Amino acid sequence: MTASSPDSFEELELGDALLDSLTSEGLEVPTALQATAIPVIRRGNNVLLAAGPGSGVAAAWALPLLARVAPPETPSASPRILVVTHGAERADQLAESLGRLAAGAGHGAASLEGAWALPERQSVLTGMLSSVVAAARAGTLDLSAVEALVVDEAAVLEKTQGLAGLETLLEYVPKDAQRVVTALPLTDGVRSFVDRHLRRAVQIPSDAGAPSDAPRRGTLHFRIVSEPREDGAREVVREAFAADARHVLVFCRNDDRAADVADDLTLHGFTAGTPGDPSVPVWVAVDALEAREAARGTEGLIVVSCDVPPDVDTLDRRHGIADGGTVVLLHRELAHLREMARRAGYALEPSPPPAPSLPDSIRTLHEELSAAIATQDVAAYLVALEPLFARHDPAEVAAAAVALLRRKQPAPTHRLDSGAGAPSEALAWSTRFLG
Protein backbone atom coordinates (compact mmCIF):
# COMPACT_ATOMS: atom_id res chain seq x y z
CA MET A 1 0.00 0.00 0.00
CA THR A 2 1.36 3.39 -0.93
CA ALA A 3 1.63 6.26 1.50
CA SER A 4 -1.25 8.11 -0.18
CA SER A 5 -3.66 5.19 0.06
CA PRO A 6 -6.65 5.51 2.39
CA ASP A 7 -6.18 4.04 5.85
CA SER A 8 -9.78 2.83 6.01
CA PHE A 9 -12.85 2.25 3.86
CA GLU A 10 -14.50 5.21 5.59
CA GLU A 11 -12.32 7.56 3.55
CA LEU A 12 -13.77 6.13 0.32
CA GLU A 13 -17.29 7.44 1.12
CA LEU A 14 -19.13 4.20 0.50
CA GLY A 15 -22.00 4.91 2.89
CA ASP A 16 -22.83 3.59 6.32
CA ALA A 17 -24.66 0.48 5.13
CA LEU A 18 -21.71 -0.84 3.11
CA LEU A 19 -19.26 0.11 5.84
CA ASP A 20 -21.29 -1.92 8.33
CA SER A 21 -21.24 -4.88 5.96
CA LEU A 22 -17.46 -4.59 5.56
CA THR A 23 -16.95 -4.42 9.31
CA SER A 24 -19.04 -7.55 9.81
CA GLU A 25 -16.77 -9.34 7.31
CA GLY A 26 -13.65 -8.20 9.18
CA LEU A 27 -12.56 -5.81 6.41
CA GLU A 28 -11.28 -2.44 7.55
CA VAL A 29 -8.35 -1.36 5.35
CA PRO A 30 -8.63 -1.36 1.54
CA THR A 31 -6.01 -3.05 -0.58
CA ALA A 32 -3.98 -0.89 -2.96
CA LEU A 33 -6.17 -2.01 -5.86
CA GLN A 34 -9.37 -1.17 -3.99
CA ALA A 35 -8.09 2.23 -2.89
CA THR A 36 -7.32 3.15 -6.50
CA ALA A 37 -10.28 1.52 -8.26
CA ILE A 38 -13.20 2.41 -5.99
CA PRO A 39 -13.21 6.19 -6.65
CA VAL A 40 -12.75 5.67 -10.40
CA ILE A 41 -15.61 3.17 -10.70
CA ARG A 42 -17.87 5.25 -8.44
CA ARG A 43 -17.59 8.08 -10.99
CA GLY A 44 -19.10 5.80 -13.64
CA ASN A 45 -15.96 5.19 -15.72
CA ASN A 46 -15.45 2.10 -17.83
CA VAL A 47 -12.57 0.23 -16.19
CA LEU A 48 -10.19 -2.61 -16.98
CA LEU A 49 -9.01 -4.12 -13.69
CA ALA A 50 -5.78 -5.92 -14.50
CA ALA A 51 -5.99 -8.09 -11.41
CA GLY A 52 -7.09 -11.49 -10.19
CA PRO A 53 -8.25 -13.21 -7.01
CA GLY A 54 -5.91 -12.42 -4.14
CA SER A 55 -5.77 -8.69 -4.88
CA GLY A 56 -9.23 -7.86 -3.50
CA VAL A 57 -10.51 -7.44 -7.05
CA ALA A 58 -14.12 -8.49 -6.41
CA ALA A 59 -14.63 -5.87 -3.70
CA ALA A 60 -12.78 -3.33 -5.87
CA TRP A 61 -15.68 -3.32 -8.35
CA ALA A 62 -18.54 -4.53 -6.17
CA LEU A 63 -18.32 -1.81 -3.50
CA PRO A 64 -18.38 1.22 -5.82
CA LEU A 65 -21.11 -0.26 -8.01
CA LEU A 66 -23.32 -1.02 -5.00
CA ALA A 67 -22.73 2.54 -3.79
CA ARG A 68 -23.30 4.16 -7.21
CA VAL A 69 -26.25 2.19 -8.61
CA ALA A 70 -29.42 3.02 -6.73
CA PRO A 71 -31.56 0.02 -5.72
CA PRO A 72 -35.06 -0.06 -7.26
CA GLU A 73 -37.78 1.64 -5.22
CA THR A 74 -40.10 -1.31 -5.85
CA PRO A 75 -39.25 -5.00 -6.33
CA SER A 76 -37.14 -5.18 -9.48
CA ALA A 77 -38.30 -6.89 -12.64
CA SER A 78 -34.76 -6.95 -14.02
CA PRO A 79 -31.19 -6.59 -12.76
CA ARG A 80 -29.38 -3.28 -12.43
CA ILE A 81 -25.89 -4.80 -11.96
CA LEU A 82 -25.03 -7.82 -14.13
CA VAL A 83 -21.93 -9.96 -13.51
CA VAL A 84 -20.93 -12.63 -16.03
CA THR A 85 -18.21 -15.17 -15.35
CA HIS A 86 -16.75 -18.47 -16.56
CA GLY A 87 -18.28 -21.09 -14.28
CA ALA A 88 -21.36 -21.95 -12.25
CA GLU A 89 -19.50 -22.28 -8.95
CA ARG A 90 -17.77 -18.93 -9.42
CA ALA A 91 -21.11 -17.25 -10.21
CA ASP A 92 -22.70 -18.78 -7.13
CA GLN A 93 -19.81 -17.69 -4.88
CA LEU A 94 -19.96 -14.14 -6.23
CA ALA A 95 -23.71 -13.93 -5.59
CA GLU A 96 -23.21 -15.02 -1.98
CA SER A 97 -20.45 -12.47 -1.43
CA LEU A 98 -22.42 -9.71 -3.12
CA GLY A 99 -25.50 -10.62 -1.13
CA ARG A 100 -23.66 -10.18 2.16
CA LEU A 101 -22.34 -6.78 1.07
CA ALA A 102 -25.56 -5.57 -0.53
CA ALA A 103 -28.04 -6.60 2.14
CA GLY A 104 -27.90 -3.33 4.06
CA ALA A 105 -27.73 -1.15 0.94
CA GLY A 106 -31.16 -2.08 -0.41
CA HIS A 107 -29.95 -4.42 -3.13
CA GLY A 108 -30.84 -8.07 -3.54
CA ALA A 109 -28.32 -10.44 -5.12
CA ALA A 110 -28.79 -13.83 -6.76
CA SER A 111 -27.27 -16.13 -9.36
CA LEU A 112 -28.69 -17.91 -12.37
CA GLU A 113 -26.66 -20.90 -11.17
CA GLY A 114 -27.50 -22.90 -8.06
CA ALA A 115 -30.59 -22.71 -5.86
CA TRP A 116 -31.84 -19.09 -5.85
CA ALA A 117 -35.42 -17.85 -5.75
CA LEU A 118 -36.40 -15.68 -8.74
CA PRO A 119 -32.83 -14.64 -9.58
CA GLU A 120 -33.90 -12.68 -12.66
CA ARG A 121 -35.85 -10.28 -10.39
CA GLN A 122 -32.92 -9.32 -8.17
CA SER A 123 -31.14 -6.01 -8.67
CA VAL A 124 -27.72 -7.73 -8.67
CA LEU A 125 -27.43 -10.85 -10.83
CA THR A 126 -24.50 -13.17 -11.51
CA GLY A 127 -24.29 -16.02 -13.96
CA MET A 128 -22.20 -17.97 -16.41
CA LEU A 129 -21.88 -16.07 -19.67
CA SER A 130 -23.57 -18.89 -21.57
CA SER A 131 -26.50 -19.01 -19.09
CA VAL A 132 -27.07 -15.25 -19.26
CA VAL A 133 -26.98 -15.18 -23.06
CA ALA A 134 -29.35 -18.16 -23.31
CA ALA A 135 -31.84 -16.56 -20.89
CA ALA A 136 -31.69 -13.24 -22.73
CA ARG A 137 -32.28 -14.95 -26.07
CA ALA A 138 -35.19 -16.93 -24.65
CA GLY A 139 -36.80 -13.77 -23.29
CA THR A 140 -36.77 -15.02 -19.69
CA LEU A 141 -34.19 -12.41 -18.61
CA ASP A 142 -34.73 -8.69 -19.25
CA LEU A 143 -31.42 -6.79 -19.38
CA SER A 144 -32.84 -3.46 -20.54
CA ALA A 145 -32.40 -1.82 -17.11
CA VAL A 146 -28.76 -2.88 -16.57
CA GLU A 147 -26.67 0.09 -15.44
CA ALA A 148 -23.39 -1.76 -14.92
CA LEU A 149 -21.94 -4.86 -16.60
CA VAL A 150 -19.01 -6.71 -15.03
CA VAL A 151 -17.02 -9.32 -16.93
CA ASP A 152 -15.29 -11.39 -14.25
CA GLU A 153 -11.94 -13.11 -14.92
CA ALA A 154 -12.05 -12.46 -18.65
CA ALA A 155 -8.75 -14.24 -19.33
CA VAL A 156 -10.15 -17.46 -17.84
CA LEU A 157 -13.40 -16.95 -19.74
CA GLU A 158 -11.45 -16.53 -22.98
CA LYS A 159 -9.44 -19.70 -22.42
CA THR A 160 -12.34 -21.91 -21.37
CA GLN A 161 -15.23 -20.61 -23.50
CA GLY A 162 -13.96 -17.83 -25.76
CA LEU A 163 -15.12 -14.23 -25.80
CA ALA A 164 -17.57 -14.48 -28.71
CA GLY A 165 -20.48 -14.78 -26.29
CA LEU A 166 -19.67 -11.33 -24.89
CA GLU A 167 -20.32 -9.83 -28.31
CA THR A 168 -23.77 -11.41 -28.29
CA LEU A 169 -24.46 -10.31 -24.70
CA LEU A 170 -23.79 -6.67 -25.56
CA GLU A 171 -26.74 -6.74 -27.95
CA TYR A 172 -29.06 -7.07 -24.91
CA VAL A 173 -27.33 -4.59 -22.57
CA PRO A 174 -27.92 -0.81 -22.86
CA LYS A 175 -25.11 0.89 -24.75
CA ASP A 176 -24.66 3.49 -22.01
CA ALA A 177 -24.25 0.91 -19.22
CA GLN A 178 -20.99 1.17 -17.31
CA ARG A 179 -18.60 -1.67 -18.13
CA VAL A 180 -15.95 -3.22 -15.91
CA VAL A 181 -13.67 -6.05 -17.05
CA THR A 182 -11.30 -7.95 -14.73
CA ALA A 183 -8.50 -10.03 -16.22
CA LEU A 184 -5.11 -11.44 -15.35
CA PRO A 185 -3.11 -11.99 -17.45
CA LEU A 186 -4.02 -9.32 -19.99
CA THR A 187 -4.23 -11.37 -23.19
CA ASP A 188 -4.42 -9.94 -26.69
CA GLY A 189 -8.03 -11.12 -26.91
CA VAL A 190 -9.04 -9.32 -23.72
CA ARG A 191 -7.25 -6.14 -24.80
CA SER A 192 -9.00 -6.25 -28.16
CA PHE A 193 -12.42 -6.63 -26.51
CA VAL A 194 -11.72 -3.73 -24.15
CA ASP A 195 -10.47 -1.50 -26.96
CA ARG A 196 -13.62 -2.16 -28.99
CA HIS A 197 -16.28 -2.13 -26.30
CA LEU A 198 -15.10 -0.11 -23.28
CA ARG A 199 -15.05 3.51 -24.39
CA ARG A 200 -12.20 5.49 -22.80
CA ALA A 201 -11.55 2.65 -20.35
CA VAL A 202 -9.22 3.31 -17.41
CA GLN A 203 -6.74 0.50 -16.76
CA ILE A 204 -5.97 -0.19 -13.08
CA PRO A 205 -3.17 -0.71 -12.26
CA SER A 206 -1.81 1.10 -15.29
CA ASP A 207 1.51 -0.76 -15.30
CA ALA A 208 0.11 -4.32 -15.11
CA GLY A 209 1.62 -6.54 -17.77
CA ALA A 210 4.33 -3.98 -18.62
CA PRO A 211 7.99 -5.07 -18.61
CA SER A 212 9.36 -4.94 -15.09
CA ASP A 213 12.58 -3.10 -14.33
CA ALA A 214 12.59 -4.21 -10.69
CA PRO A 215 15.97 -5.48 -9.47
CA ARG A 216 16.17 -9.19 -8.84
CA ARG A 217 15.25 -9.85 -5.20
CA GLY A 218 15.78 -13.58 -4.91
CA THR A 219 13.42 -16.55 -4.94
CA LEU A 220 9.93 -16.75 -3.49
CA HIS A 221 8.31 -20.15 -3.05
CA PHE A 222 4.61 -20.91 -3.14
CA ARG A 223 2.44 -23.77 -1.93
CA ILE A 224 -1.00 -24.31 -3.51
CA VAL A 225 -3.46 -25.64 -0.93
CA SER A 226 -7.17 -26.21 -0.45
CA GLU A 227 -9.32 -24.60 2.20
CA PRO A 228 -8.83 -24.35 5.08
CA ARG A 229 -5.53 -22.80 4.16
CA GLU A 230 -4.46 -22.86 7.82
CA ASP A 231 -3.71 -26.57 7.31
CA GLY A 232 -1.31 -25.76 4.48
CA ALA A 233 0.35 -22.97 6.44
CA ARG A 234 0.86 -25.29 9.41
CA GLU A 235 2.56 -27.86 7.17
CA VAL A 236 4.91 -25.18 5.78
CA VAL A 237 5.73 -24.12 9.35
CA ARG A 238 6.49 -27.74 10.31
CA GLU A 239 8.81 -28.12 7.32
CA ALA A 240 10.59 -24.84 8.20
CA PHE A 241 11.43 -26.08 11.69
CA ALA A 242 12.49 -29.44 10.26
CA ALA A 243 14.95 -27.45 8.14
CA ASP A 244 16.42 -25.82 11.31
CA ALA A 245 14.55 -22.51 11.31
CA ARG A 246 14.77 -20.74 14.68
CA HIS A 247 11.63 -18.66 14.22
CA VAL A 248 8.84 -18.65 11.64
CA LEU A 249 6.99 -15.38 10.98
CA VAL A 250 3.48 -15.98 9.61
CA PHE A 251 1.62 -13.10 7.98
CA CYS A 252 -2.18 -12.91 7.77
CA ARG A 253 -4.53 -10.47 6.04
CA ASN A 254 -6.34 -9.24 9.16
CA ASP A 255 -6.59 -9.65 12.91
CA ASP A 256 -9.38 -12.25 12.76
CA ARG A 257 -7.35 -14.51 10.47
CA ALA A 258 -4.23 -13.99 12.60
CA ALA A 259 -6.08 -15.07 15.74
CA ASP A 260 -7.39 -18.20 14.00
CA VAL A 261 -3.95 -19.12 12.66
CA ALA A 262 -2.25 -18.56 16.03
CA ASP A 263 -4.84 -20.74 17.77
CA ASP A 264 -4.48 -23.48 15.17
CA LEU A 265 -0.68 -23.51 15.37
CA THR A 266 -0.66 -23.50 19.16
CA LEU A 267 -3.23 -26.32 19.23
CA HIS A 268 -0.84 -28.41 17.13
CA GLY A 269 2.14 -27.70 19.35
CA PHE A 270 3.69 -24.75 17.49
CA THR A 271 3.31 -22.11 20.19
CA ALA A 272 2.56 -18.77 18.55
CA GLY A 273 2.88 -15.19 19.76
CA THR A 274 3.76 -11.68 18.63
CA PRO A 275 6.85 -10.85 16.52
CA GLY A 276 10.04 -10.50 18.49
CA ASP A 277 8.94 -12.64 21.46
CA PRO A 278 11.95 -14.94 22.07
CA SER A 279 9.91 -17.33 24.18
CA VAL A 280 7.75 -18.64 21.30
CA PRO A 281 8.92 -20.25 18.03
CA VAL A 282 6.16 -18.87 15.77
CA TRP A 283 5.35 -15.20 15.33
CA VAL A 284 2.02 -14.19 13.78
CA ALA A 285 1.54 -10.71 12.34
CA VAL A 286 -0.66 -8.50 10.17
CA ASP A 287 1.33 -5.26 9.92
CA ALA A 288 4.56 -5.94 8.03
CA LEU A 289 6.27 -2.70 9.05
CA GLU A 290 5.80 -3.40 12.76
CA ALA A 291 6.90 -7.01 12.29
CA ARG A 292 9.99 -5.94 10.37
CA GLU A 293 11.11 -3.73 13.25
CA ALA A 294 10.40 -6.40 15.87
CA ALA A 295 12.19 -9.13 13.89
CA ARG A 296 15.21 -7.05 12.93
CA GLY A 297 18.46 -8.99 13.31
CA THR A 298 16.78 -12.36 13.96
CA GLU A 299 18.91 -15.26 12.75
CA GLY A 300 17.29 -18.32 11.19
CA LEU A 301 14.02 -16.53 10.39
CA ILE A 302 11.61 -17.97 7.80
CA VAL A 303 8.66 -15.92 6.51
CA VAL A 304 5.33 -17.48 5.51
CA SER A 305 2.33 -15.66 4.05
CA CYS A 306 -0.86 -17.48 5.00
CA ASP A 307 -2.77 -15.15 2.64
CA VAL A 308 -1.38 -14.13 -0.73
CA PRO A 309 -0.03 -10.54 -0.54
CA PRO A 310 -2.62 -8.26 -2.21
CA ASP A 311 -0.06 -5.91 -3.82
CA VAL A 312 3.63 -5.43 -4.58
CA ASP A 313 4.31 -3.27 -1.53
CA THR A 314 2.82 -5.82 0.85
CA LEU A 315 4.75 -8.66 -0.76
CA ASP A 316 8.02 -6.75 -0.52
CA ARG A 317 7.44 -5.63 3.06
CA ARG A 318 6.62 -9.14 4.21
CA HIS A 319 9.19 -11.17 2.32
CA GLY A 320 11.98 -8.61 2.28
CA ILE A 321 12.42 -9.23 6.01
CA ALA A 322 14.24 -12.50 5.35
CA ASP A 323 15.43 -14.43 2.33
CA GLY A 324 12.29 -15.07 0.29
CA GLY A 325 10.00 -17.43 2.16
CA THR A 326 6.80 -19.16 1.12
CA VAL A 327 3.34 -17.96 0.13
CA VAL A 328 0.39 -20.25 0.86
CA LEU A 329 -2.38 -19.70 -1.67
CA LEU A 330 -5.41 -21.13 -3.41
CA HIS A 331 -5.02 -22.21 -7.02
CA ARG A 332 -7.18 -19.37 -8.34
CA GLU A 333 -4.75 -16.86 -6.76
CA LEU A 334 -1.69 -18.10 -8.66
CA ALA A 335 -1.98 -15.65 -11.58
CA HIS A 336 -2.09 -12.74 -9.13
CA LEU A 337 0.97 -13.99 -7.24
CA ARG A 338 2.91 -14.46 -10.47
CA GLU A 339 2.20 -10.85 -11.47
CA MET A 340 3.10 -9.46 -8.03
CA ALA A 341 6.36 -11.46 -7.91
CA ARG A 342 7.29 -10.34 -11.42
CA ARG A 343 6.72 -6.68 -10.59
CA ALA A 344 8.58 -6.99 -7.27
CA GLY A 345 11.57 -8.73 -8.87
CA TYR A 346 11.20 -12.18 -7.28
CA ALA A 347 11.70 -15.45 -9.10
CA LEU A 348 8.77 -17.72 -8.25
CA GLU A 349 9.12 -21.44 -7.61
CA PRO A 350 6.64 -24.07 -6.42
CA SER A 351 7.33 -25.66 -3.06
CA PRO A 352 5.56 -29.02 -2.97
CA PRO A 353 5.54 -31.15 0.17
CA PRO A 354 8.55 -33.48 0.51
CA ALA A 355 8.19 -36.49 -1.75
CA PRO A 356 8.83 -40.03 -0.56
CA SER A 357 11.41 -42.24 -2.24
CA LEU A 358 9.97 -43.26 -5.61
CA PRO A 359 10.85 -45.46 -8.58
CA ASP A 360 12.67 -43.63 -11.37
CA SER A 361 9.68 -43.72 -13.72
CA ILE A 362 7.31 -42.16 -11.20
CA ARG A 363 9.89 -39.58 -10.10
CA THR A 364 10.39 -38.55 -13.75
CA LEU A 365 6.64 -38.20 -14.20
CA HIS A 366 6.51 -35.95 -11.13
CA GLU A 367 9.38 -33.82 -12.40
CA GLU A 368 7.79 -33.35 -15.82
CA LEU A 369 4.42 -32.45 -14.35
CA SER A 370 6.13 -29.98 -12.00
CA ALA A 371 7.88 -28.44 -15.01
CA ALA A 372 4.54 -28.08 -16.79
CA ILE A 373 3.03 -26.39 -13.72
CA ALA A 374 5.93 -23.95 -13.62
CA THR A 375 6.00 -23.11 -17.33
CA GLN A 376 2.47 -23.55 -18.69
CA ASP A 377 -0.47 -21.17 -18.19
CA VAL A 378 -2.49 -23.56 -16.04
CA ALA A 379 -4.48 -20.99 -14.02
CA ALA A 380 -7.48 -21.06 -16.35
CA TYR A 381 -7.69 -24.85 -16.19
CA LEU A 382 -7.39 -24.89 -12.41
CA VAL A 383 -10.45 -22.66 -12.32
CA ALA A 384 -12.24 -24.82 -14.88
CA LEU A 385 -11.59 -27.91 -12.72
CA GLU A 386 -12.72 -26.20 -9.51
CA PRO A 387 -16.23 -27.78 -9.59
CA LEU A 388 -14.53 -31.20 -9.62
CA PHE A 389 -12.41 -30.20 -6.64
CA ALA A 390 -15.62 -29.49 -4.74
CA ARG A 391 -16.79 -33.07 -5.30
CA HIS A 392 -13.46 -34.91 -5.32
CA ASP A 393 -10.12 -34.49 -3.66
CA PRO A 394 -7.72 -32.67 -6.06
CA ALA A 395 -5.35 -35.61 -5.73
CA GLU A 396 -8.06 -37.89 -7.14
CA VAL A 397 -8.61 -35.52 -10.06
CA ALA A 398 -4.89 -35.51 -10.83
CA ALA A 399 -4.72 -39.29 -10.58
CA ALA A 400 -7.69 -39.64 -12.93
CA ALA A 401 -6.02 -37.32 -15.45
CA VAL A 402 -2.86 -39.42 -15.40
CA ALA A 403 -4.95 -42.59 -15.73
CA LEU A 404 -6.67 -41.16 -18.81
CA LEU A 405 -3.28 -40.21 -20.19
CA ARG A 406 -1.90 -43.71 -19.80
CA ARG A 407 -5.04 -45.30 -21.25
CA LYS A 408 -5.39 -43.00 -24.28
CA GLN A 409 -1.72 -42.62 -25.19
CA PRO A 410 -0.34 -44.98 -27.85
CA ALA A 411 2.05 -47.52 -26.48
CA PRO A 412 5.27 -45.59 -25.81
CA THR A 413 8.45 -46.47 -27.65
CA HIS A 414 10.53 -45.35 -24.68
CA ARG A 415 10.60 -45.71 -20.95
CA LEU A 416 9.45 -42.85 -18.73
CA ASP A 417 12.89 -42.88 -17.15
CA SER A 418 14.73 -42.81 -20.47
CA GLY A 419 17.63 -40.47 -21.05
CA ALA A 420 17.66 -36.79 -21.91
CA GLY A 421 16.12 -35.81 -25.19
CA ALA A 422 13.48 -38.56 -25.20
CA PRO A 423 9.86 -37.45 -25.72
CA SER A 424 7.70 -37.23 -22.61
CA GLU A 425 4.27 -38.79 -22.08
CA ALA A 426 3.50 -36.30 -19.33
CA LEU A 427 4.49 -33.28 -21.41
CA ALA A 428 2.69 -34.62 -24.48
CA TRP A 429 -0.47 -34.89 -22.41
CA SER A 430 0.02 -31.44 -20.91
CA THR A 431 0.53 -29.94 -24.37
CA ARG A 432 -2.76 -31.41 -25.62
CA PHE A 433 -4.69 -30.53 -22.49
CA LEU A 434 -3.21 -27.11 -21.74
CA GLY A 435 -3.11 -25.90 -25.32
Side-chain angles (χ1 to χ4, degrees), residues 88-126:
E89 185 171 1
R90 174 65 174 171
D92 198 56
Q93 291 171 345
L94 283 172
E96 291 180 358
S97 298
L98 289 168
R100 287 193 291 268
L101 288 176
H107 284 285
S111 174
L112 285 180
E113 323 300 335
W116 297 83
L118 300 175
E120 67 282 353
R121 299 182 65 85
Q122 301 301 318
S123 56
V124 181
L125 179 67
T126 72

Side-chain angles (χ1 to χ4, degrees), residues 211-235:
S212 176
D213 58 357
R216 304 307 300 174
R217 302 295 304 277
T219 299
L220 185 65
H221 293 89
F222 67 92
R223 174 75 55 82
I224 296 177
V225 301
S226 301
E227 293 283 19
R229 72 174 78 205
E230 289 91 340
D231 291 350
R234 187 186 340 111
E235 179 61 21

Side-chain angles (χ1 to χ4, degrees), residues 123-380:
S123 56
V124 181
L125 179 67
T126 72
M128 290 178 60
L129 174 61
S130 55
S131 300
V132 173
V133 170
R137 278 176 168 166
T140 58
L141 178 61
D142 177 14
L143 301 180
S144 62
V146 168
E147 298 181 39
L149 168 66
V150 178
V151 180
D152 173 66
E153 295 192 59
V156 178
L157 183 62
E158 178 186 24
K159 195 137 194 175
T160 56
Q161 301 176 32
L163 300 180
L166 289 175
E167 310 280 348
T168 303
L169 176 65
L170 293 179
E171 299 174 9
Y172 297 93
V173 175
K175 295 186 183 302
D176 60 351
Q178 182 181 8
R179 298 171 185 184
V180 177
V181 172
T182 79
L184 195 69
L186 292 181
T187 65
D188 290 342
V190 170
R191 288 186 184 277
S192 175
F193 176 83
V194 170
D195 289 343
R196 288 181 289 112
H197 297 295
L198 273 70
R199 186 169 58 93
R200 292 196 294 273
V202 179
Q203 178 179 317
I204 302 173
S206 59
D207 61 346
S212 176
D213 58 357
R216 304 307 300 174
R217 302 295 304 277
T219 299
L220 185 65
H221 293 89
F222 67 92
R223 174 75 55 82
I224 296 177
V225 301
S226 301
E227 293 283 19
R229 72 174 78 205
E230 289 91 340
D231 291 350
R234 187 186 340 111
E235 179 61 21
V236 173
V237 168
R238 186 194 66 78
E239 293 168 15
F241 285 121
D244 296 327
R246 294 187 62 184
H247 291 279
V248 178
L249 174 56
V250 181
F251 281 106
C252 303
R253 67 174 179 234
N254 57 34
D255 291 335
D256 289 346
R257 168 77 79 174
D260 291 342
V261 169
D263 288 345
D264 178 80
L265 287 167
T266 300
L267 177 66
H268 288 83
F270 301 100
T271 309
T274 57
D277 183 350
S279 67
V280 295
V282 181
W283 299 336
V284 180
V286 174
D287 190 308
L289 293 180
E290 292 181 0
R292 178 189 293 270
E293 186 63 29
R296 188 182 302 276
T298 301
E299 298 290 336
L301 178 66
I302 299 294
V303 176
V304 177
S305 281
C306 187
D307 298 288
V308 60
D311 52 64
V312 172
D313 285 348
T314 303
L315 187 153
D316 189 51
R317 289 173 180 174
R318 289 180 180 182
H319 291 274
I321 296 174
D323 183 18
T326 301
V327 177
V328 176
L329 72 160
L330 305 179
H331 56 77
R332 61 177 176 268
E333 298 168 336
L334 180 56
H336 166 71
L337 179 62
R338 288 192 187 281
E339 176 67 8
M340 295 304 99
R342 183 190 69 81
R343 292 169 60 192
Y346 285 93
L348 200 61
E349 291 185 1
S351 176
S357 178
L358 297 168
D360 288 347
S361 60
I362 299 300
R363 186 176 64 252
T364 301
L365 176 65
H366 287 191
E367 291 171 353
E368 292 173 340
L369 288 172
S370 294
I373 291 170
T375 59
Q376 300 288 330
D377 180 14
V378 301

